[in-house]
Amino acid sequence: YPDPASADAPPAIAEEDLWRAQLYALLGRSLARRPDNALLTALAQLKGDASPLGQALAQLADRACAVSPERAQDEYDALFIGLPRGELVPYASFYRTGFLYERPLAKLRGDMAQLGYARADGVYEPEDHMGALCELMTLLISGDETRGPAELATQERLFRQHIAPWGERFFTDLGKAPSAHLYQPL
């Protein structure tokens, strides 16, 4: 993950927003897909400090250095895929209603459509997956090739409506999951 303060960063975005976007990008990539060498290499390069966030990043870096891609993929599968299901079901609908494809997903799809976003072609996971929500927040904060950043009020509204009602519970569960080693600091 590049340094948000680098010369390549768009000047219209405040440094703290770039850092926030990078953190959402890290969460999104870590949760949305099985880890690969590129992700583990990027995680291993993270630096921490004495803050709780800095300590979690340092732990994540240490664990990424010590795990093989195969073991990290096995952990991902145990946590999020599994038979008949993983230890965690990382979808807003499930956390909020106990079922998949429920009202939280419908509301999210409506909000995404209003903003001009839709699930990417070839992606079959519902949009209310925590990884996808973090990737959406990254886009809202930093913009993309076709649009600039969303207004802060829009970012806050989407966070409050689609992540806040269940996100803390999900990340607490992830931190306590028996199979979570690499993923525990997230």
Side-chain angles (χ1 to χ4, degrees):
Y1 296 92
D3 179 357
S6 73
D8 296 358
I13 301 172
E15 183 177 353
E16 62 270 14
D17 289 333
L18 290 172
W19 282 109
R20 194 164 50 94
Q22 288 294 319
L23 187 56
Y24 274 116
L26 181 145
L27 291 170
R29 173 54 188 96
S30 296
L31 296 170
R33 292 173 296 288
R34 295 174 86 213
D36 56 17
N37 280 330
L39 177 64
L40 293 174
T41 298
L43 294 177
Q45 295 174 19
L46 294 171
K47 304 291 184 229
D49 59 24
S51 71
L53 176 59
Q55 290 175 14
L57 292 174
Q59 278 186 333
L60 190 57
D62 290 345
R63 292 173 188 209
C65 287
V67 70
S68 70
E70 296 79 21
R71 176 65 193 112
Q73 290 172 358
D74 288 347
E75 179 179 333
Y76 183 91
D77 291 349
L79 288 169
F80 305 119
I81 312 272
L83 289 173
R85 70 171 213 215
E87 290 177 44
L88 301 174
V89 181
Y91 299 94
S93 290
F94 187 83
Y95 262 81
R96 296 179 72 186
T97 71
F99 300 96
L100 295 175
Y101 299 98
E102 291 292 326
R103 185 178 198 100
L105 176 59
K107 283 191 66 166
L108 174 62
R109 285 178 174 167
D111 286 344
M112 288 174 61
Q114 277 186 322
L115 293 169
Y117 289 103
R119 181 172 54 188
D121 292 337
V123 174
Y124 302 105
E125 296 287 328
E127 297 90 320
D128 64 341
H129 186 286
M130 180 57 82
L133 288 168
C134 290
E135 290 176 341
L136 176 61
M137 288 302 297
T138 302
L139 289 172
L140 293 175
I141 296 165
S142 59
D144 60 23
E145 302 84 30
T146 61
R147 69 191 107 210
E151 294 290 324
L152 187 57
T154 300
Q155 296 171 34
E156 182 179 6
R157 180 178 58 80
L158 256 23
F159 175 83
R160 288 190 186 281
Q161 290 179 356
H162 301 292
I163 296 176
W166 69 286
E168 184 175 354
R169 206 164 19 122
F170 168 77
F171 283 108
T172 298
D173 290 349
L174 180 58
K176 294 178 182 177
S179 296
H181 179 71
L182 172 66
Y183 284 84
Q184 185 273 331
L186 289 179

